Amino acid sequence: MNNTEKNKDVVISTRVRFARNIKGLPFPHKLTGQEEIYSVLMKTVNDCCNELFKGKFYKTGEMDKVFEQSLVEKHLISSELVDKPYGGVFIGDDETISIMVNEEDHIREQCIMPGFDLDNAYGKLLRLDKLLASKADIAYDRFFGYLTACPTNLGAAMRLSVMVSLPALTIGRKMSGLVASLQKIGFTTRGAYGEGTESEGFEYQISNQAAVGKSEETIKELFRKAVAQIVELERREREKLKKELGLDLKDKIMRSYGILTNCCKISSSEFMNLLGYVRLGVALGYIDKDIDRIDNLAVLSQPAMMCILTKKVLTAEERDRARAALVGKTI
């Protein structure tokens, strides 16, 4: 079993992100009315992406709003990019690659892989980064490293993150201690949709912070060790919960499964919280389901995705009914 598969009970996905800017060009928040510059930048990104990957380039303001929101739900674009007047994004057909243009930086390259797959995510992105560097004059300083709009991204300008499922640490009230410990070694913990968001379904996004003065390899190794420790802590806490809560824990898990498979309507928030227990049940062997199927369902059940699946704009009430129907036939 490879590293990706053996850690899927805890690690949902891995993301590698590079921030890059063009030498001599003001950062995006300072650019106004220079459409020709945006056009050249977007063409360069699109040409490089198409040389390596199959996909499509979308401009903000030209995308359907429901589709645009579905990209946010799938973490392929940030909510900050949505309102940018001259923004754009290249999305790979397999949705592992997404390259944002004129978000906080001129270019935000990211690769998202299922499970804990740091090396493959980094490798795919590095190929694109080298090609972009051969086609564009990337802003780089020998002392500061890559120059970025936010000083915390200086240096390697590389952000590594994992989406993790930590039900046992959450139920056992150990998350505050974990967050504090991670912060001391240079890692931050957020909700599933980044800074300012709450955790739903026991899902958290954990990423490195400042990268100044550290090489990419050093950052990767520190991150790899941190993730391994998180996985070990969560698994240990799961065994502890099984012993302490016993039948009560299993009852909570099976009741959650029963509600999801029999409900007539369900909100996104309630769904995610119940699914978190079901995912724990799968990991503990109480429920015989494919964990990838569970994780995919978490994405498909989001508001904009529900509209895309049903091919119409739904009210909140209609989404709740459609979500229940989707879960009933999928889970």
Side-chain angles (χ1 to χ4, degrees):
M1 185 183 291
N2 61 33
N3 199 46
T4 303
E5 293 295 328
K6 74 179 183 181
N7 288 306
K8 271 191 176 179
D9 62 313
V10 178
V11 184
I12 298 170
S13 62
T14 308
R15 182 182 73 174
V16 177
R17 190 189 75 196
F18 297 156
R20 301 292 186 257
N21 289 281
I22 306 302
K23 186 177 180 180
L25 190 65
F27 291 125
H29 68 280
K30 291 288 188 180
L31 279 170
T32 55
Q34 298 169 325
E35 290 87 346
E36 69 283 356
I37 295 175
Y38 296 110
S39 297
V40 171
L41 179 56
M42 288 183 184
K43 185 179 186 306
T44 301
V45 169
N46 190 33
D47 288 348
C48 289
C49 288
N50 279 312
E51 192 169 323
L52 297 176
F53 313 109
K54 291 182 178 180
K56 186 175 180 180
F57 194 90
Y58 303 91
K59 292 182 180 180
T60 56
E62 296 181 5
M63 285 187 279
D64 173 80
K65 289 300 178 184
V66 174
F67 174 72
E68 192 174 57
Q69 186 56 36
S70 75
L71 296 181
V72 175
E73 292 174 354
K74 290 187 281 188
H75 304 280
L76 294 173
I77 66 172
S78 66
S79 56
E80 289 77 16
L81 181 70
V82 171
D83 297 323
K84 297 289 184 178
Y86 300 108
V89 62
F90 176 90
I91 305 290
D93 285 348
D94 65 357
E95 297 191 342
T96 61
I97 290 287
S98 71
I99 314 301
M100 292 183 285
V101 177
N102 288 328
E103 190 232 30
E104 184 177 70
D105 294 286
H106 295 139
I107 304 171
R108 281 282 178 97
E109 313 165 42
Q110 69 170 23
C111 180
I112 303 174
M113 299 293 287
F116 189 43
D117 201 0
L118 181 59
D119 290 331
N120 278 333
Y122 179 78
K124 286 183 75 170
L125 212 56
L126 188 61
R127 288 169 58 210
L128 175 62
D129 194 57
K130 288 180 177 179
L131 183 58
L132 280 168
S134 71
K135 306 290 185 181
D137 193 3
I138 303 297
Y140 185 85
D141 181 88
R142 290 180 63 186
F143 181 77
F144 290 109
Y146 288 103
L147 302 182
T148 56
C150 180
T152 60
N153 289 325
L154 287 170
M158 180 175 74
R159 183 65 59 90
L160 309 178
S161 65
V162 283
M163 195 72 72
V164 289
S165 176
L166 304 177
L169 287 167
T170 305
I171 296 167
R173 301 183 184 278
K174 303 291 179 62
M175 279 306 300
S176 58
L178 175 63
V179 171
S181 297
L182 287 171
Q183 195 167 21
K184 288 179 182 178
I185 59 173
F187 294 91
T188 184
T189 308
R190 300 184 175 99
Y193 287 94
E195 191 171 356
T197 64
E198 296 295 321
S199 166
E200 284 190 332
F202 310 122
E203 292 186 8
Y204 300 86
Q205 186 182 127
I206 296 172
S207 58
N208 68 302
Q209 291 179 303
V212 180
K214 295 177 183 176
S215 70
E216 287 86 350
E217 288 304 316
T218 298
I219 295 168
K220 283 167 59 183
E221 285 311 304
L222 288 171
F223 186 70
R224 205 186 304 274
K225 289 178 182 178
V227 172
Q229 290 174 353
I230 293 165
V231 169
E232 183 182 350
L233 285 170
E234 171 61 22
R235 286 175 177 164
R236 191 186 306 160
E237 193 65 24
R238 288 177 186 181
E239 291 304 312
K240 184 179 177 182
L241 278 182
K242 280 178 69 175
K243 291 178 181 178
E244 291 181 352
L245 300 181
L247 192 61
D248 287 338
L249 176 62
K250 186 174 182 179
D251 182 65
K252 176 65 177 177
I253 289 169
M254 300 313 294
R255 283 174 183 268
S256 298
Y257 180 74
I259 292 171
L260 286 180
T261 53
N262 291 281
C263 63
C264 297
K265 66 175 186 175
I266 189 167
S267 69
S268 177
S269 179
E270 183 184 9
F271 165 79
M272 286 300 296
N273 288 327
L274 292 175
L275 194 71
Y277 278 101
V278 171
R279 196 181 195 281
L280 175 60
V282 172
L284 294 177
Y286 294 153
I287 299 173
D288 184 19
K289 295 291 179 181
D290 179 40
I291 209 158
D292 289 329
R293 196 178 184 90
I294 299 295
D295 292 338
N296 189 47
L297 188 56
V299 176
L300 294 177
S301 67
Q302 296 305 307
M305 285 301 297
M306 291 306 309
C307 295
I308 288 175
L309 287 174
T310 57
K311 298 181 180 179
K312 61 180 180 179
V313 177
L314 303 173
T315 65
E317 175 75 15
E318 289 171 334
R319 286 199 305 268
D320 292 351
R321 292 201 299 266
R323 185 177 294 110
L326 172 68
V327 175
K329 68 181 181 183
T330 303
I331 201 170

